[in-house]
Amino acid sequence: MSRVPDVVRMLTLVPWLLERPGASIAEIAAAFATTEEAIRTELDHLDYCGLPGLGGGDLIDVRILGDTVVVGMADELRRPMRTTPAETLRLLLAASQAERMLGPAAGALTRAVAKLRAALGVPEDAVVVVEPEAGDLVEELRAAVVAGRRVRISYRGRGDTTAVDRDLDPWRLELHDGAWYLHAHDHGAGAARIFRLDRAAALRVTEQPVTVPVPAELEAPRYVPGPEDPEVEVLLGPGGTWLLDAVTVAPEATGAAPGGRTARFRVGAPEWFARLILMAGGHAEVRDPSGMRTLVHRRALAGLERLERSSGAASGTSDA
Amino acid sequence: MHAAERLVNLTIALLEARRPMTFDELRRRTRYYPQPEHATARRMFERDKELLRSLGVPIRTEQAYGMEEPGYRIDRREYELRDLHLEPDEVTALALAAELVAPAELALALAKVSARGPDPDPDVVPAARLPLDVTAVDGAAAVVVERRRVRFPYRTADGREEPREVEPYGVVRRRRAWYLVGRDVARDGLRGFRLDRMTGPLEAVGEAGAFEVPDGLDLAAVVSGPEARPVAVDLEVTPEGVRDVVARGGRDVGPGAHGTRVMRVEGLDRVRDLAWLLAISPEAAVLGPPEVRDDVAHGLHRVVEAHAEVPS
């Protein structure tokens, strides 16, 4: 961050510190999500601020003793500035985004939001965040992370044809590009792994405490193709370009083609990729290599065959 | 005097002023604008005033009776955030929400609302990360919070650019896109506008509090497209497919032919969930409803056709 003092933060530091005499520089920096250096600079400047007029007694009194701060003589700034509309909306958005993830704290968040709305005059429905629902699995995993318990999940990775059980020390859940991921230590692999939760099914929370601590830095969930992974060329019709967004693999190249556009991906897990092409329902066509074409063709035929063999009795209902 | 000190001091001076102060009064009674040249000092004051306003400091311009020059003051009731009386668990929940979503972008706002309240519980574990670019809607925040009509140029789905005038009711985040939802004045109807299709800045028109948000409004429904009717789909599932179907909430209905299970998944969307049904089709056949079965068969036929021959 810049070393230019933040005027709004200075105006907020005063009432915040009036309520917290003796707060440490480290605490203040953490609460304001900035550096200790920035806080020291701003406190130095505040010491020269106060009421107009020339008497020294009208200045704000900022005392820094070692690492602790006491502010006095600042009754004119006893209350913080109102949040701006942008800040208000940001808070409400964060609350809306997080509420499903707070577990037992969700009720307290709802109360806090009601108080915010009332104090700031925000219309009842001014913010809605619609993201995929956090299902039971997310909720149970969150509880396991908080409790520090090892879990066993049934997971179908990119390269797996069926789901496999994995024993994990769960570290953190992450919502990334609209999908939930779990960062964890995988005891089977003996390494950190990221699991996409829509590929996981059953979960069992064990009594065993986690043994591998959370690393300081966790990678963003993104598939990094290996150099030996074969390259696949796909022709995308107008109804298939969503594939470019849906795949967490960045295409190596894209280009225009008659009837749509082409994209080249490096694919380490052919079965997973074939499923993706099936999902496009004919709006995406594998051009190359022929092995991948054949796999997609075979999978689609298998689907049709299963459909024709099934009884097909008119069942299922609309439950609107 | 350092610029930051001057700006804080100007704020304090205008907060404490019992009546509007003209620039000349301010200059005489403080040392903030000591430039010998009046015009130079005035320019600096104007810059300070506009900067503070842009930061949200509500500086009023008032022409008091009998005064030649306009005077300035800050109404304490407009400036101050009134006490929210947040309970400790409420502050903890707000802090946790900020921590999960966008800690840096929310720190100052959180410090303001909790300045006179309790501190959050330091032992709470942030078990997840739910990053969201909360600054994306900054530009629309004022008109939503202040309930002001707004105009903007908008690129329609067919690529034309048209002006719109809207009473903005709120913002919605859906499928990685931001929407401003409100009443389209010209069309007198509820509409959602994608922020990334607004081709120019939002321009507030008219007074604050110009409209009321209708009661019981479901903003999310406005941008969810044509009314989706959830359907319950019955599947004949091989042992290999069971876990995928269970993961989507499938419940066992009974045994099927050839060692399969019949399972029912409630609440699927015929359009949106077709891709998933296609993906699992080698392990799970749709038994019904018939129209969903037809959708899957049609999609699979297209995939087969597209991949039947060696490409030229």
Side-chain angles (χ1 to χ4, degrees), chain A residues 59-91:
Chain A
L59 290 181
I60 295 172
D61 185 21
V62 180
R63 285 183 203 186
I64 305 177
L65 293 166
D67 191 40
T68 63
V69 182
V70 177
V71 165
M73 300 290 292
D75 201 43
E76 62 274 21
L77 290 180
R78 64 192 168 274
R79 284 171 200 276
M81 221 171 105
R82 288 175 69 107
T83 51
T84 62
E87 286 176 324
T88 305
L89 221 54
R90 287 181 189 186
L91 280 173

PDB file of all heavy atoms in Angstrom, chain A residues 59-91:
ATOM      1  N   LEU A  59      -5.556  20.620  20.570  1.00  0.00           N
ATOM      2  CA  LEU A  59      -5.121  19.553  19.661  1.00  0.00           C
ATOM      3  C   LEU A  59      -5.450  18.182  20.241  1.00  0.00           C
ATOM      4  O   LEU A  59      -5.500  18.010  21.459  1.00  0.00           O
ATOM      5  CB  LEU A  59      -3.613  19.643  19.410  1.00  0.00           C
ATOM      6  CG  LEU A  59      -3.151  20.826  18.572  1.00  0.00           C
ATOM      7  CD1 LEU A  59      -1.648  20.766  18.375  1.00  0.00           C
ATOM      8  CD2 LEU A  59      -3.858  20.861  17.224  1.00  0.00           C
ATOM      9  N   ILE A  60      -5.658  17.230  19.340  1.00  0.00           N
ATOM     10  CA  ILE A  60      -5.867  15.846  19.763  1.00  0.00           C
ATOM     11  C   ILE A  60      -4.580  15.362  20.432  1.00  0.00           C
ATOM     12  O   ILE A  60      -3.480  15.654  19.976  1.00  0.00           O
ATOM     13  CB  ILE A  60      -6.206  14.970  18.547  1.00  0.00           C
ATOM     14  CG1 ILE A  60      -7.550  15.392  17.946  1.00  0.00           C
ATOM     15  CG2 ILE A  60      -6.238  13.492  18.918  1.00  0.00           C
ATOM     16  CD1 ILE A  60      -7.883  14.702  16.633  1.00  0.00           C
ATOM     17  N   ASP A  61      -4.751  14.623  21.522  1.00  0.00           N
ATOM     18  CA  ASP A  61      -3.599  14.136  22.275  1.00  0.00           C
ATOM     19  C   ASP A  61      -3.357  12.672  21.898  1.00  0.00           C
ATOM     20  O   ASP A  61      -4.187  11.818  22.193  1.00  0.00           O
ATOM     21  CB  ASP A  61      -3.931  14.273  23.770  1.00  0.00           C
ATOM     22  CG  ASP A  61      -2.749  13.916  24.631  1.00  0.00           C
ATOM     23  OD1 ASP A  61      -1.610  13.956  24.125  1.00  0.00           O
ATOM     24  OD2 ASP A  61      -2.971  13.599  25.816  1.00  0.00           O
ATOM     25  N   VAL A  62      -2.268  12.429  21.200  1.00  0.00           N
ATOM     26  CA  VAL A  62      -1.935  11.056  20.813  1.00  0.00           C
ATOM     27  C   VAL A  62      -0.680  10.628  21.555  1.00  0.00           C
ATOM     28  O   VAL A  62       0.371  11.234  21.380  1.00  0.00           O
ATOM     29  CB  VAL A  62      -1.687  10.931  19.288  1.00  0.00           C
ATOM     30  CG1 VAL A  62      -1.345   9.487  18.923  1.00  0.00           C
ATOM     31  CG2 VAL A  62      -2.896  11.405  18.503  1.00  0.00           C
ATOM     32  N   ARG A  63      -0.807   9.640  22.434  1.00  0.00           N
ATOM     33  CA  ARG A  63       0.376   9.168  23.168  1.00  0.00           C
ATOM     34  C   ARG A  63       0.708   7.748  22.765  1.00  0.00           C
ATOM     35  O   ARG A  63      -0.138   6.859  22.866  1.00  0.00           O
ATOM     36  CB  ARG A  63       0.102   9.192  24.673  1.00  0.00           C
ATOM     37  CG  ARG A  63       0.140  10.595  25.184  1.00  0.00           C
ATOM     38  CD  ARG A  63      -0.064  10.623  26.653  1.00  0.00           C
ATOM     39  NE  ARG A  63      -0.548  11.956  26.968  1.00  0.00           N
ATOM     40  CZ  ARG A  63      -0.734  12.394  28.195  1.00  0.00           C
ATOM     41  NH1 ARG A  63      -0.505  11.584  29.204  1.00  0.00           N
ATOM     42  NH2 ARG A  63      -1.151  13.615  28.392  1.00  0.00           N
ATOM     43  N   ILE A  64       1.932   7.590  22.306  1.00  0.00           N
ATOM     44  CA  ILE A  64       2.394   6.245  21.967  1.00  0.00           C
ATOM     45  C   ILE A  64       3.468   5.873  22.977  1.00  0.00           C
ATOM     46  O   ILE A  64       4.535   6.483  23.022  1.00  0.00           O
ATOM     47  CB  ILE A  64       2.956   6.185  20.534  1.00  0.00           C
ATOM     48  CG1 ILE A  64       1.900   6.704  19.550  1.00  0.00           C
ATOM     49  CG2 ILE A  64       3.366   4.754  20.171  1.00  0.00           C
ATOM     50  CD1 ILE A  64       2.356   6.761  18.116  1.00  0.00           C
ATOM     51  N   LEU A  65       3.137   4.918  23.839  1.00  0.00           N
ATOM     52  CA  LEU A  65       4.098   4.469  24.851  1.00  0.00           C
ATOM     53  C   LEU A  65       4.548   3.082  24.468  1.00  0.00           C
ATOM     54  O   LEU A  65       3.777   2.132  24.589  1.00  0.00           O
ATOM     55  CB  LEU A  65       3.435   4.441  26.230  1.00  0.00           C
ATOM     56  CG  LEU A  65       3.046   5.819  26.775  1.00  0.00           C
ATOM     57  CD1 LEU A  65       2.109   5.679  27.963  1.00  0.00           C
ATOM     58  CD2 LEU A  65       4.301   6.607  27.151  1.00  0.00           C
ATOM     59  N   GLY A  66       5.776   3.003  23.956  1.00  0.00           N
ATOM     60  CA  GLY A  66       6.230   1.700  23.469  1.00  0.00           C
ATOM     61  C   GLY A  66       5.363   1.280  22.303  1.00  0.00           C
ATOM     62  O   GLY A  66       5.353   1.917  21.268  1.00  0.00           O
ATOM     63  N   ASP A  67       4.572   0.259  22.557  1.00  0.00           N
ATOM     64  CA  ASP A  67       3.759  -0.269  21.461  1.00  0.00           C
ATOM     65  C   ASP A  67       2.278   0.046  21.656  1.00  0.00           C
ATOM     66  O   ASP A  67       1.444  -0.362  20.869  1.00  0.00           O
ATOM     67  CB  ASP A  67       3.971  -1.791  21.376  1.00  0.00           C
ATOM     68  CG  ASP A  67       3.370  -2.354  20.113  1.00  0.00           C
ATOM     69  OD1 ASP A  67       3.500  -1.698  19.062  1.00  0.00           O
ATOM     70  OD2 ASP A  67       2.731  -3.420  20.193  1.00  0.00           O
ATOM     71  N   THR A  68       1.921   0.778  22.729  1.00  0.00           N
ATOM     72  CA  THR A  68       0.498   1.000  22.977  1.00  0.00           C
ATOM     73  C   THR A  68       0.136   2.464  22.747  1.00  0.00           C
ATOM     74  O   THR A  68       0.969   3.357  22.873  1.00  0.00           O
ATOM     75  CB  THR A  68       0.096   0.598  24.407  1.00  0.00           C
ATOM     76  OG1 THR A  68       0.812   1.438  25.314  1.00  0.00           O
ATOM     77  CG2 THR A  68       0.421  -0.854  24.665  1.00  0.00           C
ATOM     78  N   VAL A  69      -1.122   2.665  22.400  1.00  0.00           N
ATOM     79  CA  VAL A  69      -1.588   3.981  21.975  1.00  0.00           C
ATOM     80  C   VAL A  69      -2.748   4.430  22.852  1.00  0.00           C
ATOM     81  O   VAL A  69      -3.661   3.646  23.134  1.00  0.00           O
ATOM     82  CB  VAL A  69      -2.061   3.933  20.505  1.00  0.00           C
ATOM     83  CG1 VAL A  69      -2.499   5.319  20.044  1.00  0.00           C
ATOM     84  CG2 VAL A  69      -0.972   3.382  19.612  1.00  0.00           C
ATOM     85  N   VAL A  70      -2.695   5.694  23.283  1.00  0.00           N
ATOM     86  CA  VAL A  70      -3.829   6.285  23.986  1.00  0.00           C
ATOM     87  C   VAL A  70      -4.146   7.612  23.313  1.00  0.00           C
ATOM     88  O   VAL A  70      -3.259   8.432  23.083  1.00  0.00           O
ATOM     89  CB  VAL A  70      -3.515   6.518  25.489  1.00  0.00           C
ATOM     90  CG1 VAL A  70      -4.696   7.200  26.179  1.00  0.00           C
ATOM     91  CG2 VAL A  70      -3.194   5.195  26.178  1.00  0.00           C
ATOM     92  N   VAL A  71      -5.414   7.803  22.967  1.00  0.00           N
ATOM     93  CA  VAL A  71      -5.849   9.041  22.327  1.00  0.00           C
ATOM     94  C   VAL A  71      -6.807   9.756  23.270  1.00  0.00           C
ATOM     95  O   VAL A  71      -7.679   9.121  23.868  1.00  0.00           O
ATOM     96  CB  VAL A  71      -6.542   8.741  20.979  1.00  0.00           C
ATOM     97  CG1 VAL A  71      -7.313   9.950  20.490  1.00  0.00           C
ATOM     98  CG2 VAL A  71      -5.506   8.326  19.941  1.00  0.00           C
ATOM     99  N   GLY A  72      -6.615  11.057  23.408  1.00  0.00           N
ATOM    100  CA  GLY A  72      -7.518  11.841  24.241  1.00  0.00           C
ATOM    101  C   GLY A  72      -7.767  13.202  23.621  1.00  0.00           C
ATOM    102  O   GLY A  72      -7.240  13.512  22.539  1.00  0.00           O
ATOM    103  N   MET A  73      -8.543  14.011  24.302  1.00  0.00           N
ATOM    104  CA  MET A  73      -8.826  15.372  23.846  1.00  0.00           C
ATOM    105  C   MET A  73      -9.361  15.372  22.414  1.00  0.00           C
ATOM    106  O   MET A  73      -8.966  16.177  21.582  1.00  0.00           O
ATOM    107  CB  MET A  73      -7.554  16.236  23.878  1.00  0.00           C
ATOM    108  CG  MET A  73      -6.922  16.364  25.243  1.00  0.00           C
ATOM    109  SD  MET A  73      -7.920  17.364  26.357  1.00  0.00           S
ATOM    110  CE  MET A  73      -7.756  18.969  25.571  1.00  0.00           C
ATOM    111  N   ALA A  74     -10.275  14.455  22.133  1.00  0.00           N
ATOM    112  CA  ALA A  74     -10.732  14.324  20.746  1.00  0.00           C
ATOM    113  C   ALA A  74     -12.235  14.166  20.701  1.00  0.00           C
ATOM    114  O   ALA A  74     -12.779  13.451  19.878  1.00  0.00           O
ATOM    115  CB  ALA A  74     -10.044  13.124  20.092  1.00  0.00           C
ATOM    116  N   ASP A  75     -12.927  14.877  21.612  1.00  0.00           N
ATOM    117  CA  ASP A  75     -14.359  14.698  21.692  1.00  0.00           C
ATOM    118  C   ASP A  75     -15.071  15.093  20.400  1.00  0.00           C
ATOM    119  O   ASP A  75     -16.143  14.577  20.083  1.00  0.00           O
ATOM    120  CB  ASP A  75     -14.903  15.513  22.868  1.00  0.00           C
ATOM    121  CG  ASP A  75     -16.244  14.973  23.317  1.00  0.00           C
ATOM    122  OD1 ASP A  75     -16.366  13.732  23.403  1.00  0.00           O
ATOM    123  OD2 ASP A  75     -17.173  15.773  23.519  1.00  0.00           O
ATOM    124  N   GLU A  76     -14.433  16.000  19.630  1.00  0.00           N
ATOM    125  CA  GLU A  76     -15.085  16.435  18.384  1.00  0.00           C
ATOM    126  C   GLU A  76     -15.160  15.301  17.360  1.00  0.00           C
ATOM    127  O   GLU A  76     -15.925  15.367  16.409  1.00  0.00           O
ATOM    128  CB  GLU A  76     -14.375  17.660  17.799  1.00  0.00           C
ATOM    129  CG  GLU A  76     -12.920  17.459  17.408  1.00  0.00           C
ATOM    130  CD  GLU A  76     -11.937  17.679  18.572  1.00  0.00           C
ATOM    131  OE1 GLU A  76     -12.364  17.602  19.745  1.00  0.00           O
ATOM    132  OE2 GLU A  76     -10.756  17.928  18.288  1.00  0.00           O
ATOM    133  N   LEU A  77     -14.346  14.264  17.550  1.00  0.00           N
ATOM    134  CA  LEU A  77     -14.422  13.098  16.648  1.00  0.00           C
ATOM    135  C   LEU A  77     -14.802  11.851  17.432  1.00  0.00           C
ATOM    136  O   LEU A  77     -14.237  10.786  17.257  1.00  0.00           O
ATOM    137  CB  LEU A  77     -13.084  12.883  15.930  1.00  0.00           C
ATOM    138  CG  LEU A  77     -12.691  13.910  14.881  1.00  0.00           C
ATOM    139  CD1 LEU A  77     -11.335  13.564  14.270  1.00  0.00           C
ATOM    140  CD2 LEU A  77     -13.740  14.013  13.777  1.00  0.00           C
ATOM    141  N   ARG A  78     -15.792  11.982  18.325  1.00  0.00           N
ATOM    142  CA  ARG A  78     -16.096  10.836  19.194  1.00  0.00           C
ATOM    143  C   ARG A  78     -16.830   9.724  18.450  1.00  0.00           C
ATOM    144  O   ARG A  78     -16.856   8.585  18.885  1.00  0.00           O
ATOM    145  CB  ARG A  78     -16.900  11.280  20.413  1.00  0.00           C
ATOM    146  CG  ARG A  78     -18.265  11.847  20.076  1.00  0.00           C
ATOM    147  CD  ARG A  78     -18.892  12.525  21.288  1.00  0.00           C
ATOM    148  NE  ARG A  78     -20.068  13.302  20.899  1.00  0.00           N
ATOM    149  CZ  ARG A  78     -20.022  14.550  20.475  1.00  0.00           C
ATOM    150  NH1 ARG A  78     -18.864  15.189  20.380  1.00  0.00           N
ATOM    151  NH2 ARG A  78     -21.131  15.200  20.141  1.00  0.00           N
ATOM    152  N   ARG A  79     -17.465  10.077  17.330  1.00  0.00           N
ATOM    153  CA  ARG A  79     -18.167   9.049  16.555  1.00  0.00           C
ATOM    154  C   ARG A  79     -17.556   8.920  15.166  1.00  0.00           C
ATOM    155  O   ARG A  79     -17.079   9.905  14.603  1.00  0.00           O
ATOM    156  CB  ARG A  79     -19.647   9.404  16.400  1.00  0.00           C
ATOM    157  CG  ARG A  79     -20.446   9.169  17.638  1.00  0.00           C
ATOM    158  CD  ARG A  79     -21.842   9.747  17.472  1.00  0.00           C
ATOM    159  NE  ARG A  79     -22.450   9.940  18.773  1.00  0.00           N
ATOM    160  CZ  ARG A  79     -23.081   8.984  19.429  1.00  0.00           C
ATOM    161  NH1 ARG A  79     -23.197   7.787  18.888  1.00  0.00           N
ATOM    162  NH2 ARG A  79     -23.590   9.195  20.611  1.00  0.00           N
ATOM    163  N   PRO A  80     -17.590   7.722  14.611  1.00  0.00           N
ATOM    164  CA  PRO A  80     -17.020   7.543  13.261  1.00  0.00           C
ATOM    165  C   PRO A  80     -17.916   8.169  12.197  1.00  0.00           C
ATOM    166  O   PRO A  80     -19.088   8.450  12.439  1.00  0.00           O
ATOM    167  CB  PRO A  80     -16.996   6.018  13.097  1.00  0.00           C
ATOM    168  CG  PRO A  80     -18.097   5.532  13.977  1.00  0.00           C
ATOM    169  CD  PRO A  80     -18.155   6.472  15.150  1.00  0.00           C
ATOM    170  N   MET A  81     -17.315   8.374  11.040  1.00  0.00           N
ATOM    171  CA  MET A  81     -18.057   8.830   9.881  1.00  0.00           C
ATOM    172  C   MET A  81     -18.995   7.727   9.422  1.00  0.00           C
ATOM    173  O   MET A  81     -18.697   6.548   9.580  1.00  0.00           O
ATOM    174  CB  MET A  81     -17.028   9.071   8.772  1.00  0.00           C
ATOM    175  CG  MET A  81     -17.223  10.259   7.960  1.00  0.00           C
ATOM    176  SD  MET A  81     -15.724  10.403   6.945  1.00  0.00           S
ATOM    177  CE  MET A  81     -16.372   9.873   5.398  1.00  0.00           C
ATOM    178  N   ARG A  82     -20.119   8.117   8.848  1.00  0.00           N
ATOM    179  CA  ARG A  82     -21.006   7.100   8.252  1.00  0.00           C
ATOM    180  C   ARG A  82     -20.258   6.344   7.166  1.00  0.00           C
ATOM    181  O   ARG A  82     -19.400   6.914   6.500  1.00  0.00           O
ATOM    182  CB  ARG A  82     -22.207   7.789   7.589  1.00  0.00           C
ATOM    183  CG  ARG A  82     -23.198   8.368   8.531  1.00  0.00           C
ATOM    184  CD  ARG A  82     -24.243   9.122   7.734  1.00  0.00           C
ATOM    185  NE  ARG A  82     -25.062   8.202   6.954  1.00  0.00           N
ATOM    186  CZ  ARG A  82     -26.330   7.913   7.271  1.00  0.00           C
ATOM    187  NH1 ARG A  82     -26.904   8.462   8.305  1.00  0.00           N
ATOM    188  NH2 ARG A  82     -27.017   7.079   6.527  1.00  0.00           N
ATOM    189  N   THR A  83     -20.629   5.118   6.976  1.00  0.00           N
ATOM    190  CA  THR A  83     -20.067   4.404   5.828  1.00  0.00           C
ATOM    191  C   THR A  83     -20.642   5.021   4.557  1.00  0.00           C
ATOM    192  O   THR A  83     -21.784   5.471   4.541  1.00  0.00           O
ATOM    193  CB  THR A  83     -20.428   2.908   5.875  1.00  0.00           C
ATOM    194  OG1 THR A  83     -21.841   2.795   6.061  1.00  0.00           O
ATOM    195  CG2 THR A  83     -19.705   2.204   6.991  1.00  0.00           C
ATOM    196  N   THR A  84     -19.837   5.062   3.511  1.00  0.00           N
ATOM    197  CA  THR A  84     -20.337   5.567   2.229  1.00  0.00           C
ATOM    198  C   THR A  84     -21.290   4.517   1.642  1.00  0.00           C
ATOM    199  O   THR A  84     -21.274   3.357   2.050  1.00  0.00           O
ATOM    200  CB  THR A  84     -19.183   5.769   1.238  1.00  0.00           C
ATOM    201  OG1 THR A  84     -18.574   4.493   0.995  1.00  0.00           O
ATOM    202  CG2 THR A  84     -18.141   6.732   1.784  1.00  0.00           C
ATOM    203  N   PRO A  85     -22.120   4.926   0.668  1.00  0.00           N
ATOM    204  CA  PRO A  85     -22.994   3.914   0.042  1.00  0.00           C
ATOM    205  C   PRO A  85     -22.200   2.729  -0.485  1.00  0.00           C
ATOM    206  O   PRO A  85     -22.633   1.571  -0.340  1.00  0.00           O
ATOM    207  CB  PRO A  85     -23.661   4.690  -1.096  1.00  0.00           C
ATOM    208  CG  PRO A  85     -23.695   6.099  -0.614  1.00  0.00           C
ATOM    209  CD  PRO A  85     -22.425   6.279   0.173  1.00  0.00           C
ATOM    210  N   ALA A  86     -21.040   2.981  -1.071  1.00  0.00           N
ATOM    211  CA  ALA A  86     -20.245   1.866  -1.612  1.00  0.00           C
ATOM    212  C   ALA A  86     -19.806   0.937  -0.480  1.00  0.00           C
ATOM    213  O   ALA A  86     -19.892  -0.290  -0.599  1.00  0.00           O
ATOM    214  CB  ALA A  86     -19.035   2.396  -2.372  1.00  0.00           C
ATOM    215  N   GLU A  87     -19.360   1.515   0.639  1.00  0.00           N
ATOM    216  CA  GLU A  87     -18.940   0.673   1.769  1.00  0.00           C
ATOM    217  C   GLU A  87     -20.113  -0.113   2.331  1.00  0.00           C
ATOM    218  O   GLU A  87     -19.983  -1.289   2.698  1.00  0.00           O
ATOM    219  CB  GLU A  87     -18.340   1.540   2.883  1.00  0.00           C
ATOM    220  CG  GLU A  87     -16.963   2.070   2.567  1.00  0.00           C
ATOM    221  CD  GLU A  87     -16.455   3.006   3.670  1.00  0.00           C
ATOM    222  OE1 GLU A  87     -17.263   3.758   4.261  1.00  0.00           O
ATOM    223  OE2 GLU A  87     -15.248   2.984   3.939  1.00  0.00           O
ATOM    224  N   THR A  88     -21.255   0.543   2.408  1.00  0.00           N
ATOM    225  CA  THR A  88     -22.443  -0.125   2.936  1.00  0.00           C
ATOM    226  C   THR A  88     -22.799  -1.329   2.075  1.00  0.00           C
ATOM    227  O   THR A  88     -23.025  -2.434   2.572  1.00  0.00           O
ATOM    228  CB  THR A  88     -23.628   0.864   2.953  1.00  0.00           C
ATOM    229  OG1 THR A  88     -23.243   2.021   3.682  1.00  0.00           O
ATOM    230  CG2 THR A  88     -24.842   0.239   3.584  1.00  0.00           C
ATOM    231  N   LEU A  89     -22.830  -1.090   0.769  1.00  0.00           N
ATOM    232  CA  LEU A  89     -23.189  -2.183  -0.133  1.00  0.00           C
ATOM    233  C   LEU A  89     -22.153  -3.305  -0.090  1.00  0.00           C
ATOM    234  O   LEU A  89     -22.492  -4.481  -0.137  1.00  0.00           O
ATOM    235  CB  LEU A  89     -23.349  -1.641  -1.554  1.00  0.00           C
ATOM    236  CG  LEU A  89     -24.519  -2.214  -2.347  1.00  0.00           C
ATOM    237  CD1 LEU A  89     -25.817  -2.058  -1.591  1.00  0.00           C
ATOM    238  CD2 LEU A  89     -24.638  -1.570  -3.708  1.00  0.00           C
ATOM    239  N   ARG A  90     -20.876  -2.940   0.034  1.00  0.00           N
ATOM    240  CA  ARG A  90     -19.841  -3.976   0.139  1.00  0.00           C
ATOM    241  C   ARG A  90     -20.070  -4.854   1.358  1.00  0.00           C
ATOM    242  O   ARG A  90     -19.947  -6.081   1.295  1.00  0.00           O
ATOM    243  CB  ARG A  90     -18.453  -3.330   0.278  1.00  0.00           C
ATOM    244  CG  ARG A  90     -17.920  -2.700  -0.972  1.00  0.00           C
ATOM    245  CD  ARG A  90     -16.551  -2.144  -0.652  1.00  0.00           C
ATOM    246  NE  ARG A  90     -16.014  -1.319  -1.725  1.00  0.00           N
ATOM    247  CZ  ARG A  90     -14.788  -0.823  -1.712  1.00  0.00           C
ATOM    248  NH1 ARG A  90     -13.976  -1.067  -0.685  1.00  0.00           N
ATOM    249  NH2 ARG A  90     -14.356  -0.086  -2.699  1.00  0.00           N
ATOM    250  N   LEU A  91     -20.411  -4.216   2.498  1.00  0.00           N
ATOM    251  CA  LEU A  91     -20.654  -4.994   3.712  1.00  0.00           C
ATOM    252  C   LEU A  91     -21.842  -5.928   3.533  1.00  0.00           C
ATOM    253  O   LEU A  91     -21.799  -7.101   3.918  1.00  0.00           O
ATOM    254  CB  LEU A  91     -20.937  -4.057   4.897  1.00  0.00           C
ATOM    255  CG  LEU A  91     -19.753  -3.415   5.587  1.00  0.00           C
ATOM    256  CD1 LEU A  91     -20.246  -2.403   6.622  1.00  0.00           C
ATOM    257  CD2 LEU A  91     -18.900  -4.478   6.292  1.00  0.00           C
TER     258      LEU A  91
END
